[in-house]
Amino acid sequence: MSTQKVILSVNALSKNYELGSAFSRGKEVVHAVENINLEIVEGETLGIVGESGCGKSTLGRMIVRLEEPTAGEIIFEGEDLAKLSNKNLRSMRKRLQMIFQDPYASLNPRRQIGKIVEEPLRVHGVDKAEREKIAKDLLRRVGLDLEAYEKYPHEFSGGQRQRVVIARALALSPRLVVADEPVSALDVSIQAQVLNLFKDLQKEFNLTYIFIAHDLGVVRHVSDRIAVMYLGKLVELAPADDLYESPAHPYTKALLSANPRMNSDDKTERIILKGDIPNPINRPSGCVFHPRCPKMQDLCKSESPALIQIGDRQVACHFPEN
Ligand SMILES: Nc1ncnc2c1ncn2[C@@H]1O[C@H](COP(=O)(O)OP(=O)(O)O)[C@@H](O)[C@H]1O
Ligand SMILES: [Mg+2]
């Protein structure tokens, strides 16, 4: 992996949301993403997993600059996106696309599919004939009939609509696609088809993906490496197979054991995490996972573990497994 080209590096990236309230003294701060460091090489898929509210979407949205970082750098193809002017950001955006969970919400119900796929091309000044050619080609590549071109979103199933969304995201030939739970809203029977489409398109267009999911079963089959987040922090990052075969962070282990799809063999001990995900406003001291951790010791209550490299893996735990 070291000889491959780094397409994106995220350095000490953080996002806080300040919640003002007329009743509280001072402001409450949500630490949605805290001090995340990541490197992604061209052509790979980085999966990002964690329970709802751990900051996955905020991280993804910052990477495509739909969200302003509170601190940190986002170096994409050598330029710091956090510092680009709006004009330069616009041209950079062509190379960075985001796909969201709900394909219906992201499609204008009153526009024909062809026009929807052509929209980003129109905005970037591509002429009509060329737009139509590109759109029709993309619809074919995402597995839709040519008739789709003149139809409306409501005439399609959820899976087909997500194919339209994918076609539109590819219209400007992006290099990096951030897909935020792109199959979570689809029937399980359809999920595999859409995941396979993502994989096929990756090869065909040499795309780099950041693939966000709350379900470890979903990311396993598409990811080269997987990052696990907990309360805004990166707690483990490892090659996908290593992560599933020998999770090092107790949180990763618990997530895996709780997933019925990942846990077919009965010998795997099922770990039930104590308590709920803590409030990101008043986070626990020390290791943020300590109140729920089955391996918690005194040190964990007072000291936040650094993310350390062990072989190919990074883990933030005072007492990692294996
Ligand atoms: N615009 C916002 N204002 C305030 N808090 C927000 C906002 N967006 C997200 N959050 C909070 O930031 C945390 C992370 O949210 P999010 O990134 O959506 O998590 P995930 O995608 O992993 O479910 C949550 O506690 C969420 O409530
Ligand atoms: Mg989310």
Side-chain angles (χ1 to χ4, degrees), residues 218-235:
V218 165
V219 281
R220 174 162 203 177
H221 301 291
V222 291
S223 304
D224 299 297
R225 292 186 302 149
I226 293 176
V228 181
M229 288 180 70
Y230 187 78
L231 271 183
K233 296 192 176 201
L234 187 63
V235 297

Side-chain angles (χ1 to χ4, degrees), residues 17-19 30-33 50-59 67 180-181 212 280:
Y17 292 106
E18 288 189 2
L19 307 179
V30 178
H31 298 269
V33 168
E51 288 161 292
S52 176
C54 71
K56 305 180 295 297
S57 295
T58 304
L59 175 61
E67 199 81 67
D180 189 358
E181 310 221 21
I212 296 170

